Amino acid sequence: METLKIIKIGGNIIDDEKALLSFLSQFSELEGPKLLVHGGGKLATQMAQKMNIPVQMNDGRRITDEANLDIITMVYAGKINKNIIAQLQANNCNAIGFSGADGNTIVSEKRSSQPIDYGFAGDIKQVNTNTLELLLKNNITPVFCAITHDKNGQLLNTNADTIASELAIGFAKNYKTELYYCFEKNGVLEDISDENSVVKNINTKTYQTLIDDGIIADGMLPKLNNCFHAIHNNVAKVCIGKPSMLFSTNTIYTTIQK
Amino acid sequence: METLKIIKIGGNIIDDEKALLSFLSQFSELEGPKLLVHGGGKLATQMAQKMNIPVQMNDGRRITDEANLDIITMVYAGKINKNIIAQLQANNCNAIGFSGADGNTIVSEKRSSQPIDYGFAGDIKQVNTNTLELLLKNNITPVFCAITHDKNGQLLNTNADTIASELAIGFAKNYKTELYYCFEKNGVLEDISDENSVVKNINTKTYQTLIDDGIIADGMLPKLNNCFHAIHNNVAKVCIGKPSMLFSTNTIYTTIQK
């Protein structure tokens, strides 16, 4: 089977124009089929502030009322996604922007309002890769923003890490899928203040030890749960680290194994 | 050759939620390959006002500075395009949203700043239909917003009527293309105050007479120039009228002929 790289970038790249341009230039050079998933960064919150629309968060997750869904749709699917596409085209990487509504690629369910009402937040129910595979076979790179739909006309705000892992799982029947989570650190760190303390490999057994020892906590927990969910559903490889893990062989990062 | 319908809708539908939902439901039922192009309506101007960003117009055309380009990208490619896609999916019409940057489908050139500097406004140089044809053959409907790119990373605001006509011309080598401009009137009217005074057919010769008689003027002139440009470049049929011209056989509208 051919290898498909699914790469997720977050706010630390999206919010830094120079870092984004540099990343997109290197991403364009990557050989073989690839797919990009991007988060939203700080721009949506800044937009809401400019428009005097209150932003409510709970436990680091946005409560998406109708006004905030509009902003997210404008910022993620509009400004961020289309500027990424234009830059990739400038680098001769033929790309098409996607939300989960486009091509009916990702169908979600509005999250239950109990115990906490997150508003228009979607939990992924189904991934359809046929159209995406058709494009990949024609050397076209899909670029996903973190928006899905419920197939009844409703757009839904959806976690970008989860979109990346569910896409990787969806492609696993036809590709050897590799999932790369790019973030601001070198990987999972044994000592959060020491960028050199990267835990190079984590498996199901050592994962539990790292949780018990308090090394994996807070924001890293859902991220690693996504990784293990992917690894246990036929994704061949999951890595966490700085984007350089994709482009340079002497980068240290964390690899997740069964 | 197979017939491809290219349909452009403007502000009168986009700005009216009920009219838009009704249109999208009927559009979904249309048989055969089809492609939708949508304008932006009043939403971009309203957004600019909310954000205290000045909007400058010249002769009915927007002067697109950087702040307004951001707004247009957010509103056209984000909010409007993704909501249309979600609605089409709800109607079982498998659609994918496009700007001209996506798939490098429409390459434009930033308009000369002389005699009037329109800012980030693009004039179309090249249309690439390969990827779109691949999708059409797989029963997927492309939906274009009025944004293109210069292939050097710059997005450009581009007239939606022109996008529709240039796409129709681009497809004409492989399809019998029909171009439908939906707007708020029944067609070209002999008497602007009488919706029953539709000029049913206009050809190159009668066009000049209608201009000389002052029947075609102002906003209708660029619209009809687009129509004749298409008709003289192998587009099989160009029609102007209300959306019902697409769905009902007893609608009166204007047909443009050579």
Side-chain angles (χ1 to χ4, degrees), chain A residues 141-162:
Chain A
T141 297
V143 177
F144 272 83
C145 65
I147 294 169
T148 61
H149 75 142
D150 70 355
K151 191 71 171 71
N152 294 311
Q154 181 63 56
L155 296 169
L156 293 165
N157 185 16
T158 303
N159 182 273
D161 282 0
T162 312

Side-chain angles (χ1 to χ4, degrees), chain B residues 1-66:
Chain B
M1 282 202 287
E2 202 174 7
T3 298
L4 167 66
K5 289 189 170 73
I6 295 186
I7 297 160
K8 189 257 168 173
I9 54 170
N12 67 311
I13 299 175
I14 299 287
D15 291 331
D16 178 342
E17 196 186 339
K18 213 177 134 191
L20 180 60
L21 292 182
S22 161
F23 171 82
L24 294 174
S25 160
Q26 290 184 287
F27 174 84
S28 298
E29 301 288 321
L30 279 180
E31 284 188 19
K34 59 199 175 205
L35 184 152
L36 185 64
V37 180
H38 62 85
K42 292 176 191 152
L43 220 60
T45 303
Q46 287 166 357
M47 272 286 298
Q49 283 164 346
K50 271 189 206 168
M51 295 176 68
N52 291 314
I53 291 168
V55 175
Q56 279 185 282
M57 306 288 279
N58 184 292
D59 214 6
R61 285 177 181 251
R62 186 184 300 263
I63 294 180
T64 313
D65 61 11
E66 202 175 334

Side-chain angles (χ1 to χ4, degrees), chain B residues 39-243:
Chain B
K42 292 176 191 152
L43 220 60
T45 303
Q46 287 166 357
M47 272 286 298
Q49 283 164 346
K50 271 189 206 168
M51 295 176 68
N52 291 314
I53 291 168
V55 175
Q56 279 185 282
M57 306 288 279
N58 184 292
D59 214 6
R61 285 177 181 251
R62 186 184 300 263
I63 294 180
T64 313
D65 61 11
E66 202 175 334
N68 274 282
L69 179 68
D70 268 0
I71 287 176
I72 282 167
T73 307
M74 292 194 286
V75 173
Y76 295 2
K79 184 173 160 66
I80 298 175
N81 191 271
K82 293 312 156 201
N83 277 294
I84 287 176
I85 298 295
Q87 282 307 326
L88 291 175
Q89 296 293 356
N91 285 290
N92 293 314
C93 171
N94 194 2
I96 295 182
F98 276 84
S99 72
D102 297 278
N104 192 30
T105 43
I106 309 177
V107 184
S108 286
E109 193 166 46
K110 187 169 180 290
R111 191 172 302 157
S112 161
S113 60
Q114 298 297 328
I116 293 149
D117 188 354
Y118 281 99
F120 295 103
D123 293 315
I124 297 173
K125 273 190 347 190
Q126 192 193 331
V127 168
N128 300 312
T129 58
N130 288 5
T131 303
L132 298 169
E133 289 184 26
L134 183 72
L135 295 174
L136 289 168
K137 277 177 194 125
N138 283 273
N139 294 315
I140 295 167
T141 298
V143 177
F144 273 82
C145 65
I147 294 170
T148 62
H149 76 142
D150 70 355
K151 191 72 171 70
N152 293 311
Q154 181 64 56
L155 296 169
L156 293 165
N157 185 16
T158 304
N159 182 273
D161 282 0
T162 313
I163 287 182
S165 62
E166 292 295 341
L167 282 171
I169 292 166
F171 278 109
K173 62 182 180 299
N174 292 327
Y175 288 89
K176 178 171 173 288
T177 50
E178 299 181 352
L179 177 56
Y180 296 87
Y181 285 112
C182 300
F183 78 143
E184 68 278 11
K185 297 189 181 299
N186 281 334
V188 177
L189 302 179
E190 204 147 340
D191 172 0
I192 194 101
S193 63
D194 179 5
E195 275 286 338
N196 294 316
S197 68
V198 174
V199 184
K200 287 184 193 159
N201 291 289
I202 304 178
N203 62 34
T204 314
K205 204 172 148 189
T206 59
Y207 182 39
Q208 195 51 54
T209 313
L210 289 166
I211 293 173
D212 293 345
D213 293 352
I215 287 167
I216 295 173
D218 306 324
M220 283 308 283
L221 258 174
K223 200 176 265 298
L224 280 162
N225 283 339
N226 268 323
C227 296
F228 277 102
H229 177 59
I231 275 293
H232 287 123
N233 285 279
N234 306 315
V235 173
K237 193 176 169 182
V238 183
C239 305
I240 308 180
K242 292 204 171 139

Side-chain angles (χ1 to χ4, degrees), chain A residues 99-128:
Chain A
S99 72
D102 297 279
N104 192 30
T105 44
I106 309 177
V107 183
S108 286
E109 193 166 46
K110 187 168 180 290
R111 191 172 303 158
S112 161
S113 60
Q114 299 297 329
I116 294 149
D117 188 354
Y118 281 100
F120 295 104
D123 294 313
I124 297 174
K125 274 189 347 188
Q126 192 193 331
V127 169
N128 301 312

Side-chain angles (χ1 to χ4, degrees), chain A residues 13-207:
Chain A
I13 300 175
I14 299 286
D15 290 333
D16 177 344
E17 196 186 339
K18 213 175 134 192
L20 180 61
L21 292 182
S22 161
F23 171 82
L24 294 173
S25 160
Q26 291 183 288
F27 174 84
S28 298
E29 300 288 321
L30 279 180
E31 285 188 19
K34 61 199 174 205
L35 185 153
L36 185 63
V37 180
H38 63 84
K42 292 177 190 149
L43 219 61
T45 303
Q46 287 167 358
M47 271 288 296
Q49 283 165 348
K50 271 188 205 167
M51 295 175 68
N52 291 315
I53 290 169
V55 175
Q56 279 184 282
M57 305 288 279
N58 184 292
D59 213 7
R61 285 176 180 251
R62 186 184 301 263
I63 294 180
T64 314
D65 62 9
E66 202 175 335
N68 274 283
L69 180 67
D70 268 0
I71 287 177
I72 282 168
T73 307
M74 292 194 285
V75 173
Y76 295 2
K79 184 171 161 65
I80 297 176
N81 191 271
K82 292 312 156 200
N83 276 294
I84 287 177
I85 298 295
Q87 282 306 326
L88 290 176
Q89 296 292 356
N91 285 291
N92 293 314
C93 171
N94 194 2
I96 295 182
F98 275 84
S99 72
D102 297 279
N104 192 30
T105 44
I106 309 177
V107 183
S108 286
E109 193 166 46
K110 187 168 180 290
R111 191 172 303 158
S112 161
S113 60
Q114 299 297 329
I116 294 149
D117 188 354
Y118 281 100
F120 295 104
D123 294 313
I124 297 174
K125 274 189 347 188
Q126 192 193 331
V127 169
N128 301 312
T129 59
N130 288 4
T131 304
L132 299 170
E133 290 184 24
L134 183 72
L135 295 173
L136 289 168
K137 277 178 193 124
N138 284 274
N139 294 316
I140 295 167
T141 297
V143 177
F144 272 83
C145 65
I147 294 169
T148 61
H149 75 142
D150 70 355
K151 191 71 171 71
N152 294 311
Q154 181 63 56
L155 296 169
L156 293 165
N157 185 16
T158 303
N159 182 273
D161 282 0
T162 312
I163 286 181
S165 62
E166 293 294 341
L167 282 171
I169 293 166
F171 278 110
K173 61 182 181 299
N174 292 328
Y175 288 89
K176 180 172 173 287
T177 50
E178 299 180 352
L179 177 56
Y180 296 86
Y181 285 112
C182 301
F183 78 143
E184 67 279 11
K185 299 191 180 298
N186 281 334
V188 177
L189 303 179
E190 205 146 341
D191 172 1
I192 194 102
S193 62
D194 179 6
E195 275 286 341
N196 293 316
S197 68
V198 175
V199 183
K200 287 185 193 158
N201 292 290
I202 304 178
N203 61 33
T204 313
K205 205 172 146 188
T206 58
Y207 182 40

